[in-house]
DNA sequence: CGTAAGTCATACTTGTCCGGTATGGCGCGG
DNA sequence: CCGCGCCATACCGGACAAGTATGACTTACG
């Protein structure tokens, strides 16, 4: 059976045009090298070298094989190196489940940090709901997911990436738009646009809960799928909306964002979800980056 | 050191997801296979499989390596096969030196026959003079050359591919154009266009010699580089020319080709030149095709 | 719950074969 | 003609691949 050893020896002899010199270069003695070449020729079924007084010279078959042998040898080195890098999470693919307002700030910042550290890892983002993310994690279709207000699952761990304050989106025509800061209680009686309408517990439930905590029943005029639609409705004068601060990266004409002055401020999480027993080295490296991100941004605790 | 054996075993285990079954497929027992996999993992420096109760599963590093391993293994099989084919002259490149009138008939017929037999051999044609062909043969820039009237060289062998009769190219206005056949003696006093002017002995010398043998000194009006130019001059009324029969594949308006009626006819060779001690299997195969060509066309003898 | 059946890992033996040393054969050049 | 390069052959020792036997462990099932 032909082994890489044969090809390696063959390539050395072909380069040196001389078996003795090749043996020296390979740090073996000449007779075993001669034998290996003979074996290779036996396997091929044809001479690969023409033996002369000066040394050896490639035959047509030898020339053909030399081209392929060098390719095989370098491909093998490459394969080993790539396997090693894959083992250390420096190569491969990170499938990420993302969600609506996450794309405005936190998610890109974290992923960018990861991309800079591991440029050879391909990052694929898939927009999906919380339930879809958990299911996709279980089916290994994604390695991590980003979301808010994550329930407990036995097989899924979560880690808070960022705590965010809330702001209120108000139409410019609304008197509240003139204020520097308002409290949640000021929203009593204001028509409220909520999102998303799917997947509980969700941000919509969270906002409704905050309102009740501050003593009023929210007057929901519209419930929509995502933040962008919500803000658009606010711009059209449907009412006001409460959004996480990072979503203010999305500007809409006619909408003013006013901060909430609760103290201590009501905080909302962006968390990262991953499978509890996923051994993937890429995940391990990602979590290291995530912890660094938390440290840089002074994030503590978990949801 | 990693060997192809490791990759082959690894690929089998990866395919079967089960060491025992893979061992069965490889016709070895299970323990050695386990050990080879362990060795490979040792070399890579990371586990390639996650062992479970049901069998084994590829890690990220294993997945990366599997893709490369299959590529390496198939490339190796391919390389062996190609080396074998190269040994039998079924793969590679045939560089051919050709000459002016040869391209009209004999050379393409022989090369086409060779191409049909060995479609994977690339054929490259290079137009060159006789001296250039001999020099190119010695420098291995061409494997065979085609030419006429080849002198003897100690290191170059030649073999006649085809014997050709001569015909006379006559302007339609010339009275000789009315004749069915003429003899060389009839050309006495006719202005003669000769070619080529370079590389002796050449066709030009040959024709002049034939004229003298038939009792007249040729009246050379023009000596040009190639047959096409010569026939063009004949069409313009410069005179008549003598060309090998195969060159009549080149039609020029205003030129009539009249056969020579000498008996026995004067014959001119197209020969194939090759290096006496060239061991190339492609040359060997080409010469076999050449002999078949000679047999088909009843060609005997040599120049 | 204990046994049977499946998995992979380990221990030990056997034989192959790689690599080393010593030597031979051969052509070339001083 | 002898010495110096080559490559090839002969032989030995040791490493290691493969085989047999067995163990450790988990699941499935009566």
């Amino acid at each position: 059976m032909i082994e890489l050893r044969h090809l390696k020896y063959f390539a050395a002899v072909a380069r040196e045009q001389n078996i003795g010199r090749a043996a020296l270069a390979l740090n073996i003695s000449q007779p075993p090298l001669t034998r290996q070449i003979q074996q290779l020729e036996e396997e091929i079924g044809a001479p690969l070298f023409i033996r002369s007084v000066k040394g050896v010279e490639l035959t047509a078959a030898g020339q053909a094989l030399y081209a392929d042998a060098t390719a095989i040898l370098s491909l093998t080195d490459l394969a080993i190196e790539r396997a090693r890098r894959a083992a250390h999470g420096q190569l491969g693919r990170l499938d990420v489940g993302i969600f609506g307002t996450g794309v405005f700030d936190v998610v890109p910042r974290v992923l960018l940090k990861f991309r800079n550290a591991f440029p050879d890892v391909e990052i694929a983002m898939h927009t999906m709901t919380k339930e879809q993310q958990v299911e996709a994690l279980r089916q290994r279709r994604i390695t991590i997911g980003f979301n808010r207000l994550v329930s407990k699952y036995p097989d899924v761990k979560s880690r808070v990436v960022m705590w965010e304050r809330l702001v209120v989106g108000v139409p410019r025509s609304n008197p509240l738009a003139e204020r520097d800061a308002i409290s949640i209680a000021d929203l009593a009686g204001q028509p409220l646009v909520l999102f998303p309408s799917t997947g509980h517990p969700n941000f919509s439930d969270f906002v409704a809960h905050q309102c009740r905590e501050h003593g009023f029943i929210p007057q929901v005029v519209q419930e929509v799928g995502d933040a962008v639609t919500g803000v658009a409705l606010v711009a059209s004068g449907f009412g006001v909306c409460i959004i996480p601060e990072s979503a203010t990266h999305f500007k809409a004409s006619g909408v003013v964002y006013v901060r909430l002055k609760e103290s201590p401020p009501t905080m909302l999480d962006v968390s990262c979800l991953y499978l509890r027993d996923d051994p993937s080295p890429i995940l391990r490296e990602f979590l290291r980056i995530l912890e660094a991100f938390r440290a840089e941004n002074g994030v503590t605790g978990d949801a």
Side-chain angles (χ1 to χ4, degrees), chain A residues 11 41-42 77 90 102 104 124 128 144 157 159 197 227 255 293 301:
Chain A
E41 289 176 322
E42 180 87 13
D77 287 344
Q90 291 168 6
F104 289 120
M128 44 178 83
I144 54 167
K157 289 186 77 170
R159 185 76 169 152
S197 51
V255 176
F293 181 90

Side-chain angles (χ1 to χ4, degrees), chain A residues 166 184-185 204-216 218 242 262 266-267:
Chain A
L166 299 179
I184 289 184
S204 189
D205 300 333
F206 177 76
V207 169
H209 176 72
Q210 295 298 321
C211 293
R212 282 192 298 274
E213 287 240 316
H214 287 78
F216 66 98
I242 296 181
E262 259 71 23
T266 307
M267 298 301 257

Side-chain angles (χ1 to χ4, degrees), chain A residues 96-100 103 107 111 125-129 133 145-147:
Chain A
V96 185
I98 59 176
F99 71 104
V103 299
V107 172
L111 291 184
M125 290 187 263
H126 313 274
T127 300
M128 44 178 83
T129 67
Q133 287 189 10
F146 286 101
N147 226 304

Side-chain angles (χ1 to χ4, degrees), chain A residues 281-301:
Chain A
I282 291 181
L283 172 59
R284 216 162 46 229
E285 294 300 337
F286 176 82
L287 291 177
R288 282 190 44 230
I289 296 291
L290 178 56
E291 290 309 312
F293 181 90
R294 281 170 56 105
E296 276 170 23
N297 293 277
V299 178
T300 56

Side-chain angles (χ1 to χ4, degrees), chain A residues 77 130 218 275:
Chain A
D77 287 344
K130 217 176 303 178
L275 223 48

